[in-house]
Amino acid sequence: MPTDHVREPTGPRERVLDHGATAVAHPNIALIKYWGKRDERLVVPYVDSLSMTLDVFPTTTTVRLDPGAAADSVLLDGASAGGEPRQRVVDFLDLVRELAGRTERAAVDTRNAVPTGAGLASSASGFAALAVAAAAAYGLRLDDTALSRLARRGSASAARSIFGGFALCHAGQGVGAAADRSSYAEPVPVPDFDPALVIALVNAGPKAVSSRAAMRRTVETSPLYQAWAASNKDDLAEMRAALHRGDLDAVGEIAERNALGMHATMLAARPAVRYLSPATVAVLDGVLQLRRDGTPAYATMDAGPNVKVLCHPADADRVAATLLAAAPGSSVLTARRGPGARLRTGDEP
Ligand code: PMV
């Protein structure tokens, strides 16, 4: 049965606040991964993907227009951002300004409750929150599909964080404007499936290779990439059926093989991209042990060493304890499905 906290709020996304706009978005974890962009400028993925938005690690972003300013200012977790992180935000604001026909610069203040760049989907929550806040601040009235397409331009996984629960992101068809129009996420309603996702944080530090650089190298050099991309289609079809059945074992098996396959494509890149560390492998061993002992638990990993383990909520404490014992020094946290991105109203803290 769905419980209260799985209800997906449909907040007022179009409300423009007097002093800018503040939006909150949560990260999502893909059960069917996207890896590789067929258009880097427009951020269009090669493959469809399907994810679960989490109820932990939100990003809160405020965008205030600053008509007197000559340049945008970007605060990331309280510190002035520079280099690539700032440039990605400025490029995104340029896109929003172009869509809105506006020229004012903005002050952006973004706070992550998740370590940035550690493969914990901070770019997903970050660009989903920025899309919702910037669209409101610049007076753009976008529906959820348009917001998802906009968030995608920041980071393809962010397209999915516009939605709560489970979301499917279309790789889209055609090239150029046609690809841009047809690549967006949409919700996959699965009201009766509410698994737990135990996150084993084996290393919260930033990754050595950005996902952007890693996926480019994988697409260009890995002989396994095309095979994985083809198998992704079958995985997605099977995943949708498994989700609708509420079949945790099938969902978990498909998610685990899909993630391991994605990492295999990276290991075969030249030179290899390896995000998985000894602690990751120890956690994967813990997951196998859980299954041998009769507890359904299935792993997925993104562009980092941390492991997310899908299980029944009633088993989450046992799973967490096993993962901690497998990788001493790590920390664990249990997530459930969470809400979509939304504007925060003035009376919220
Ligand atoms: O969010 P990006 O564009 O940095 O790419 C990350 C992609 C994965 O997290 C590895 C997979 C996915 O579909 O989220």
Side-chain angles (χ1 to χ4, degrees):
M1 282 298 290
T3 55
D4 268 349
H5 85 281
V6 304
R7 213 178 299 130
E8 285 136 31
T10 49
R13 290 198 175 116
E14 72 285 355
R15 182 167 164 231
V16 180
L17 305 181
D18 292 344
H19 302 289
T22 297
V24 182
H26 288 74
N28 68 77
I29 296 299
L31 303 177
I32 299 294
K33 305 292 186 191
Y34 118 79
W35 192 248
K37 297 184 187 80
R38 62 197 181 90
D39 187 322
E40 288 206 8
R41 189 181 65 82
L42 295 172
V43 195
V44 182
Y46 267 109
V47 294
D48 296 342
S49 57
L50 192 153
S51 63
M52 176 170 126
T53 298
L54 307 185
D55 63 350
V56 296
F57 297 148
T59 298
T60 304
T61 297
T62 299
V63 177
R64 289 188 179 84
L65 302 196
D66 194 355
D72 297 310
S73 68
V74 181
L75 276 181
L76 181 54
D77 291 328
S80 182
E84 201 195 316
R86 177 179 183 280
Q87 197 53 48
R88 285 181 73 180
V89 173
V90 172
D91 289 347
F92 192 86
L93 291 173
D94 283 342
L95 173 65
V96 173
R97 282 188 280 260
E98 191 188 314
L99 290 171
R102 307 269 295 257
T103 55
E104 305 96 311
R105 303 292 118 179
V108 176
D109 183 346
T110 186
R111 285 164 204 274
N112 279 314
V114 52
T116 306
L120 281 170
S122 58
S123 67
S125 54
F127 279 103
L130 183 60
V132 173
Y138 281 98
L140 278 176
R141 293 184 165 266
L142 303 180
D143 63 15
D144 283 352
T145 302
L147 277 172
S148 176
R149 288 178 53 226
L150 177 62
R152 195 204 75 230
R153 295 288 294 271
S155 177
S157 56
R160 304 182 307 237
S161 275
I162 294 297
F163 301 100
F166 295 90
L168 165 69
C169 185
H170 300 281
Q173 300 91 35
V175 294
D180 180 36
R181 261 196 314 277
S182 54
S183 180
Y184 54 83
E186 64 186 9
V188 177
V190 195
D192 293 333
F193 187 58
D194 183 23
L197 195 73
V198 180
I199 301 170
L201 259 177
V202 303
N203 184 345
K207 52 195 161 217
V209 188
S210 72
S211 56
R212 186 176 284 206
M215 62 180 78
R216 183 188 302 146
R217 192 192 300 169
T218 307
V219 171
E220 286 173 358
T221 70
S222 175
L224 304 191
Y225 181 73
Q226 292 303 336
W228 175 76
S231 72
N232 223 44
K233 286 194 183 9
D234 300 334
D235 284 353
L236 178 62
E238 287 183 42
M239 176 62 80
R240 295 189 73 156
L243 280 173
H244 284 106
R245 293 197 305 276
D247 181 344
L248 179 94
D249 288 296
V251 168
E253 273 170 30
I254 301 162
E256 189 172 294
R257 76 182 186 215
N258 185 270
L260 288 169
M262 178 184 75
H263 283 276
T265 68
M266 299 182 214
L267 289 170
R270 298 165 190 185
V273 178
R274 185 172 60 86
Y275 287 119
L276 312 183
S277 70
T280 312
V281 177
V283 171
L284 293 177
D285 280 346
V287 170
L288 279 182
Q289 193 57 50
L290 281 161
R291 292 213 289 267
R292 265 188 229 115
D293 295 345
T295 301
Y298 302 90
T300 183
M301 294 82 63
D302 294 284
N306 302 307
V307 187
K308 299 93 184 182
V309 178
L310 206 63
C311 63
H312 290 296
D315 292 332
D317 288 348
R318 181 176 331 130
V319 169
T322 304
L323 303 187
L324 265 183
S330 60
S331 56
V332 293
L333 174 97
T334 298
R336 302 288 286 274
R337 45 193 281 182
R342 62 180 177 84
L343 272 186
R344 204 165 70 176
T345 53
D347 44 8
E348 287 179 64

